[in-house]
Amino acid sequence: PSLEYEQLRRKIQTQTRELSYFALDQMNKIAEKVPDPFRGNWQKVIDRFADQYRVLLAAIRNLTDVDGYQSWREQEHESLSNLMQARLNALQNPSKRCSDVKRLSCNINKGCGYGCEIHHAMHCFHVAYALGRPLILFSDGWRYNPRGGFDEIFHPLSKNCTHADVVGAEAWARYKSADVVEIPLIDNIHPKEDFMPMTVPADLSQRLTRLHGNPFVWFTGQLMKYLLRPQPWLTEFLAKKLESIKFETPIVGIHVRRTDKVGSEAAFHDISEYMKFVEDYYTTYQYQNPELTFKKRVYIATDEPKVFSEARSKYPAYIFYGDTAVAQSAQLNSRYGTESLKGVLLDIHFLSLSDYLVCTFSSQICRVAYEVMQQRVIDGAWRVQPLDDVYYFGGQNAHNQRAVISNTADWPNEFSFQRGDIIGTEGNHWDGFSKGTDKTSGQSGLYPSYKVEEIVATAEMYTYPEIKV
Ligand code: GDP
């Protein structure tokens, strides 16, 4: 398929979803003001609109099965993944002695949650990929496995670069010339270099843009695939659980992040907010597969044990998977250590094996699950409904969009802009509007999400000429 075809196909889905966010939000607001005798009728209008929207969405989702390009997509996904893994393997296992190549070190112990620490290691790995310098990871006393560290859970990142190769590491400011450089937290790097997240390598950007609706997520998913190669015990542990809980598809994964996160870094979201989108997914799925009978399954990952009983009592038509003991181990007082680690690894694994995710992207757990999911699904950027933030990488460079249709401000807090303006986005409100700043005019506020497109940020990175695939 041409790049233009793939982009157009995705645009039709994105625009359809944006249309429904806007129309349903407005219709529901009007419903509150409709006088009693007409309210029932108005609700019928809303329900009919929502149903027609799902039929349209189902048709769009079915397109990839019949346009004749799906086997190309599968092959391209596999071939790019093989290329990425071969590059990373070469990066991490230099043919020269490790002490003879320029290298980087990074300490996983950021002192935060699992998702947060993995993303910190991912920022280091992204830099290593970009510079073509192998990464040596330190994890002594890692709070999720204090005795054995990272290498007991995942394969060590290198066969021939070890901790002994990190002596006299220099500060980040000398990254261009020093032999060994320690990578600081992303938040402490000023200025950020343009090869840092969320950029993709320029030499792969065309292929990535054709393959995937969110090239950075796919790229970072591939870095993660190498970084988190499970040790045999972990592979076995996950496989056994999969079998014992009888994990089957279709399944939607929801991540309900509560406890310490609520009020500090995220808002409370009621279970009904998640289930509304789960129901939406399944109705659409039924329209995609009119002859199919299936059970509606939901995998719940949460740090709040009460969520399971609430979900089961309020939604009897669903089969809920998930483990109260795991949720207990996720609570703040028992959060660290090996038991809790097993729980979070299980939850991320099952979320990533789901067909669709409903979650808050303010949580690093759901972002990790979404990134891992992209290792498996083909062009799966659409397989999520976030309840708060759009996808992001903590500490990232600006997230820019381009205005494709000019706008004259006509709604509360909206700003006007011209086609071609660059807009730094701060979030989608999932009601037809996004929030951001026009970098051309300097204005900020709300803007209609349907008038912009994503800009794929690219940067020159090391090109791995030694790898021919
Ligand atoms: P964030 O705080 O949600 O952005 O994610 P982090 O991973 O950085 O920190 C939260 C930590 O809480 C996780 O690493 C887990 O230890 C625990 N946690 C939060 N939600 C879940 C969940 O759904 N399942 C499990 N098993 N643990 C969770």
Side-chain angles (χ1 to χ4, degrees):
S2 65
L3 173 65
E4 291 74 18
Y5 172 75
E6 289 298 79
Q7 287 178 322
L8 192 56
R9 183 175 59 73
R10 293 182 199 121
K11 181 175 174 177
I12 293 169
Q13 172 157 203
T14 312
Q15 289 287 354
T16 304
R17 288 175 76 171
E18 285 297 338
L19 175 66
S20 88
Y21 296 143
F22 173 71
L24 287 170
D25 184 70
Q26 292 297 323
M27 288 162 111
N28 284 323
K29 281 185 180 138
I30 291 171
E32 290 163 18
K33 302 199 176 102
V34 170
D36 240 355
F38 307 109
R39 196 166 286 168
N41 270 352
W42 184 241
Q43 191 56 47
K44 280 192 192 169
V45 173
I46 296 177
D47 294 346
R48 181 55 62 84
F49 173 85
D51 204 45
Q52 290 201 22
Y53 150 71
R54 291 186 202 110
V55 171
L56 181 58
L57 197 60
I60 296 164
R61 287 183 181 163
N62 278 350
L63 207 57
T64 50
D65 300 330
V66 296
D67 65 6
Y69 298 128
Q70 194 62 1
S71 66
W72 174 85
R73 289 182 194 107
E74 285 162 12
Q75 280 164 26
E76 178 68 353
H77 175 96
E78 193 183 329
S79 128
L80 262 172
S81 173
N82 291 342
L83 175 63
M84 281 294 301
Q85 297 309 311
R87 284 181 172 193
L88 292 168
N89 198 44
L91 171 72
Q92 287 303 116
N93 300 293
S95 51
K96 288 194 239 169
R97 270 208 333 229
C98 191
S99 52
D100 291 341
V101 301
K102 290 194 187 310
R103 53 212 183 275
L104 299 169
S105 80
C106 176
N107 193 324
I108 199 169
N109 295 313
K110 187 171 176 176
C112 48
Y114 174 81
C116 170
E117 293 195 324
I118 292 301
H119 277 134
H120 166 57
M122 284 295 294
H123 137 70
C124 294
F125 204 31
H126 182 108
V127 169
Y129 177 95
L131 297 179
R133 285 171 171 240
L135 181 72
I136 299 155
L137 189 69
F138 286 78
S139 65
D140 302 349
W142 188 30
R143 70 199 316 183
Y144 280 93
N145 189 29
R147 287 213 190 147
F150 181 92
D151 293 353
E152 208 173 72
I153 315 299
F154 304 105
H155 284 285
L157 293 192
S158 173
K159 293 195 184 87
N160 56 339
C161 287
T162 65
H163 290 187
D165 294 304
V166 180
V167 265
E170 296 189 50
W172 174 249
R174 302 242 312 129
Y175 83 82
K176 283 187 185 142
S177 51
D179 283 342
V180 195
V181 172
E182 173 161 9
I183 307 181
L185 302 184
I186 195 167
D187 326 74
N188 296 342
I189 297 182
H190 308 285
K192 301 219 196 310
E193 303 294 335
D194 64 1
F195 56 74
M196 291 179 168
M198 299 194 293
T199 44
V200 298
D203 69 326
L204 298 179
S205 73
Q206 274 198 329
R207 285 180 76 183
L208 291 177
T209 308
R210 190 154 67 130
L211 176 73
H212 200 272
N214 190 332
F216 176 79
V217 184
W218 191 89
F219 174 71
T220 210
Q222 288 296 316
L223 294 182
M224 197 172 265
K225 183 174 176 175
Y226 187 95
L227 185 81
L228 305 182
R229 291 167 307 162
Q231 287 285 8
W233 76 262
L234 179 56
T235 306
E236 199 182 317
F237 170 71
L238 296 173
K240 275 197 176 144
K241 272 285 174 190
L242 190 87
E243 218 184 289
S244 73
I245 71 165
K246 299 195 170 52
F247 188 91
E248 279 180 73
T249 57
I251 190 160
V252 177
I254 68 174
H255 177 229
V256 183
R257 182 73 165 94
R258 294 267 172 87
T259 63
D260 57 310
K261 193 88 170 177
V262 174
S264 58
E265 293 175 16
F268 177 91
H269 294 278
D270 190 77
I271 189 80
S272 61
E273 292 179 58
Y274 296 81
M275 291 307 292
K276 184 176 71 145
F277 289 114
V278 172
E279 186 68 48
D280 215 44
Y281 176 82
Y282 275 121
T283 311
T284 308
Y285 185 76
Q286 183 73 78
Y287 289 149
Q288 282 183 262
N289 306 281
E291 305 295 331
L292 198 69
T293 39
F294 56 87
K295 297 203 168 98
K296 296 194 282 188
R297 302 180 187 86
V298 175
Y299 185 88
I300 304 183
T302 182
D303 55 340
E304 174 51 83
K306 288 188 204 127
V307 168
F308 297 105
S309 50
E310 187 187 352
R312 290 193 175 108
S313 72
K314 286 190 180 156
Y315 300 91
Y318 285 83
I319 298 175
F320 289 100
Y321 294 79
D323 195 325
T324 314
V326 168
Q328 269 154 2
S329 79
Q331 293 191 298
L332 199 53
N333 54 4
S334 51
R335 181 162 294 171
Y336 309 117
T338 321
E339 262 327 289
S340 171
L341 175 66
K342 280 187 187 164
V344 75
L345 290 171
L346 266 183
D347 276 345
I348 290 174
H349 184 61
F350 290 132
L351 289 174
S352 77
L353 289 178
S354 302
D355 299 306
Y356 195 72
L357 292 169
V358 182
C359 64
T360 46
F361 267 157
S362 57
S363 170
Q364 313 228 27
I365 295 297
C366 196
R367 297 210 302 280
V368 172
Y370 182 59
E371 289 154 358
V372 175
M373 179 196 234
Q374 306 311 320
Q375 297 165 9
R376 175 180 58 87
V377 298
I378 309 294
D379 191 13
W382 63 271
R383 291 179 180 274
V384 65
Q385 175 63 57
L387 297 184
D388 55 10
D389 300 336
V390 291
Y391 174 82
Y392 67 98
F393 191 95
Q396 71 188 28
N397 280 316
H399 178 173
N400 291 330
Q401 298 173 333
R402 186 184 296 105
V404 286
I405 302 171
S406 299
N407 188 49
T408 306
D410 204 14
W411 291 73
N413 303 322
E414 203 180 62
F415 60 86
S416 300
F417 52 81
Q418 296 298 315
R419 173 178 158 82
D421 284 4
I422 303 298
I423 296 176
T425 191
E426 286 155 33
N428 188 319
H429 291 179
W430 315 115
D431 62 358
F433 294 93
S434 291
K435 190 179 167 200
T437 301
D438 186 322
K439 297 197 166 167
T440 317
S441 71
Q443 293 196 76
S444 52
L446 297 179
Y447 61 94
S449 315
Y450 79 100
K451 290 190 174 182
V452 301
E453 65 183 13
E454 289 293 327
I455 295 176
V456 176
T458 65
E460 296 300 331
M461 300 185 190
Y462 182 60
T463 56
Y464 300 83
E466 67 274 31
I467 301 297
K468 312 251 180 290
V469 181

